[in-house]
Amino acid sequence: MKINWKLWISIVLLAFSVWVLWPSFNWAIMSVEKREQAEKEKDPILGKLLKLGLDLKGGTHLLLEIDASRLDGSVKIKDAVDRAIEIIRNRIDQFGVTDPMIAKQGDKWIVVQLPGIRDPKAAKDLIGKTALLEFRIENTSEEAKRALDLIYEKKITPAQYRENPSLYPDIKAVMPEGASVFETKRDVIYCVLDKALLTGAVLANAKVEFGGEYQHGMVVSVEFNKDGGRIFEHITERNIGKNLAIVLDDVVQSAPVIRAKISRGEKAVIEGNFNSDEAKLLAAVLRAGALPAPVKLIEERTVGPSLGDDSIKKGFMSSFIGVILVFLFMFIYYRSSGLIADLALALNLIILMAIMTYFQFTLTLPGVAGIALMLAMSVDANVLILERIREELAAGKTVRVAVDMGYQKVFWTIFDANFTTLVAAAFLFQFGTGPIKGFAVTLSIGLIVSMFTAVTVTKLIYELLFKENLLLKIKI
């Protein structure tokens, strides 16, 4: 018995598509209340849905600028931007944001798009921290205490004093040499030595643990690499009884007393009355590393769910209307053969959406435009085939011969047209950013699928109809 591979491949692809798209179909018909409940409970169905980009799902768009004035003289701005992109991507990945877009723009700007994140503050806290972690010994001298009293009395912040000490001569007069003032999140001020004994550059890991004296019971434990562990052991051995201030981005997170030497391999603990989200954020930025320089927020936009829903409705409605018009044209102009082409187009769209869902590609509004263009090119392939069959019929060929000759003679024309478009799409994907890549992905996958549906599936339908004697003549 001869196996019809075309038929079996088509059946497998259709079954695969239905299986992959079924959760998305259920989600589409689900009520708003049930969707909100599923998102709140983190239902497993969320991981099986078609991923939507910022312009469709809503979220946060940020434009950041590297502060070149704070770079080390040996670091080039290009290298700093590349390093910053890598660190920001690591932070976002560790924080669990899905389908982010992080790209360089110009010489010193970075574009960050976070679909589904509609709280700009959370996004900025995640991305904007320089994450410069320093371990400094607290200065508890009488001079330091007098300086702190004056700062409290004048109701100024440590940052105000550090920016321009000359404005406060009375504080400057008593401030110990080689010391600076920093505050905590609870507005408590510490005077610490200027020299950092250890920095976050020697961290090997950071994670959230339960414990500590604060009400939330959340701490961040840090582990050092080999060199860091040796230095930290030396620091704790020589400063027993002193407070070790743990300073992150000029804010004292905690200042525990060193009660004994902490040997290599043991963990240091950062306490700071963290809640779960704050501890998770701090651990994430410490694991990802410090930015090479602070970043400035140049532009901030929040795309709300209503705008995303509006984009979805309008984008899909326009595509739907276009597809229906094409289907009607093909059926009216080419009759039964046009209906076969319409079936292939429908299968083309279903397989494309299934592939994007299965491989977790993100669909953006430009991606919807790519789908529309792909369908247009798929129609073009079917038109070429049908026009060639019409020519063969006009030349007096039988229906079976006309169909076979029609497919044979236009195959390379269709292949050339699709291949050149695929080359262009490959360049768009390689050198484009988020939305352009979305357009290139949907166009590329769609063209490959359309080659299969236009040349293989439609030919298979004709063969099955001929076999059952259901197609004795064609009206084109």
Side-chain angles (χ1 to χ4, degrees), residues 52-352:
L52 301 178
L54 182 72
D55 48 4
L56 297 179
K57 187 178 182 180
T60 298
H61 169 99
L62 301 174
L63 178 62
L64 309 171
E65 179 185 359
I66 290 285
D67 186 356
S69 64
R70 299 282 296 274
L71 283 174
D72 187 299
S74 62
V75 179
K76 296 180 180 179
I77 183 68
K78 180 182 179 300
D79 295 335
V81 171
D82 292 341
R83 173 64 177 157
I85 289 174
E86 179 186 349
I87 290 170
I88 290 172
R89 180 174 288 109
N90 287 339
R91 291 182 182 182
I92 291 172
D93 289 344
Q94 293 183 44
F95 205 66
V97 179
T98 57
D99 307 312
M101 193 280 283
I102 306 139
K104 182 179 179 181
Q105 182 171 306
D107 294 329
K108 55 182 179 180
W109 294 282
I110 301 170
V111 175
V112 180
Q113 292 185 352
L114 305 174
I117 302 296
R118 301 187 182 103
D119 182 359
K121 185 179 183 302
K124 288 183 287 186
D125 287 344
L126 173 65
I127 295 167
K129 284 184 179 292
T130 309
L132 177 58
L133 183 69
E134 299 174 310
F135 294 82
R136 304 188 186 199
I137 297 297
E138 182 183 5
N139 188 318
T140 56
S141 65
E142 290 301 319
E143 293 84 356
K145 292 177 182 177
R146 287 199 296 272
L148 293 178
D149 289 340
L150 286 172
I151 290 175
Y152 282 120
E153 183 181 321
K154 292 180 178 293
K155 297 181 179 180
I156 64 172
T157 65
Q160 289 174 315
Y161 174 75
R162 290 197 307 272
E163 287 174 5
N164 200 342
S166 59
L167 293 178
Y168 311 98
D170 49 345
I171 300 176
K172 186 177 180 180
V174 297
M175 182 67 68
E177 186 176 351
S180 299
V181 284
F182 296 96
E183 63 185 343
T184 68
K185 292 186 295 184
R186 300 180 304 282
D187 297 326
V188 177
I189 303 174
Y190 285 89
C191 181
V192 299
L193 300 181
D194 283 339
K195 183 180 179 181
L197 302 179
L198 195 64
T199 70
V202 294
L203 286 186
N205 194 17
K207 58 185 177 181
V208 178
E209 293 183 351
F210 289 95
E213 61 183 52
Y214 296 102
Q215 58 177 341
H216 297 297
M218 292 283 185
V219 299
V220 177
S221 66
V222 295
E223 300 175 20
F224 301 101
N225 59 25
K226 184 178 180 181
D227 291 336
R230 176 178 52 78
I231 297 171
F232 191 67
E233 179 182 2
H234 182 68
I235 291 170
T236 54
E237 183 180 20
R238 297 191 59 179
N239 293 281
I240 293 176
K242 297 180 181 179
N243 289 70
L244 181 64
I246 303 173
V247 185
L248 177 68
D249 291 345
D250 295 341
V251 176
V252 177
Q253 300 294 324
S254 59
V257 177
I258 301 173
R259 302 192 185 279
K261 180 179 75 171
I262 299 178
S263 302
R264 271 174 276 186
E266 295 186 42
K267 302 174 183 177
V269 173
I270 303 175
E271 298 184 67
N273 195 20
F274 305 119
N275 59 34
S276 177
D277 290 339
E278 290 171 337
K280 183 179 177 182
L281 174 65
L282 176 58
V285 297
L286 291 179
R287 282 195 302 268
L291 292 173
V295 292
K296 301 176 185 176
L297 183 62
I298 304 300
E299 180 186 354
E300 171 189 329
R301 291 202 312 269
T302 301
V303 181
S306 60
L307 181 58
D309 288 342
D310 187 58
S311 297
I312 293 174
K313 290 174 183 176
K314 289 184 177 179
F316 280 99
M317 181 55 68
S318 59
S319 298
F320 178 75
I321 293 172
V323 168
I324 292 299
L325 290 175
V326 169
F327 278 19
L328 287 174
F329 170 80
M330 293 295 289
F331 177 66
I332 294 170
Y333 192 76
Y334 292 108
R335 308 202 184 167
S336 58
S337 296
L339 183 60
I340 293 173
D342 288 344
L343 290 174
L345 288 175
L347 184 60
N348 190 359
L349 184 59
I350 292 171
I351 295 174
L352 168 62

Side-chain angles (χ1 to χ4, degrees), residues 22-30 34-35 38-39 45-46 49:
W22 189 252
S24 295
F25 174 76
N26 285 337
W27 183 263
I29 63 176
M30 194 181 291
K34 288 186 177 180
R35 288 184 188 180
E39 290 178 345
I45 192 176
L46 297 173
L49 302 178

Side-chain angles (χ1 to χ4, degrees), residues 103 422-434 436-441 444:
L422 277 174
V423 171
F427 278 96
L428 287 175
F429 183 83
Q430 178 66 31
F431 299 106
T433 55
I436 303 301
K437 285 189 175 183
F439 175 82
V441 166
S444 300

Side-chain angles (χ1 to χ4, degrees), residues 409-475:
K409 291 185 176 181
V410 300
F411 174 80
W412 288 110
T413 302
I414 296 172
F415 179 83
D416 288 345
N418 284 273
F419 180 75
T420 52
T421 307
L422 277 174
V423 171
F427 278 96
L428 287 175
F429 183 83
Q430 178 66 31
F431 299 106
T433 55
I436 303 301
K437 285 189 175 183
F439 175 82
V441 166
T442 54
L443 180 61
S444 300
I445 298 173
L447 287 175
I448 294 171
V449 174
S450 72
M451 279 287 293
F452 173 76
T453 56
V455 176
T456 304
V457 173
T458 56
K459 182 72 181 329
L460 174 64
I461 294 174
Y462 281 119
E463 289 176 354
L464 292 175
L465 292 174
F466 288 139
K467 184 177 180 181
E468 300 297 328
N469 293 319
L470 297 175
L471 191 66
L472 300 178
K473 62 179 181 178
I474 298 177
K475 291 183 180 180

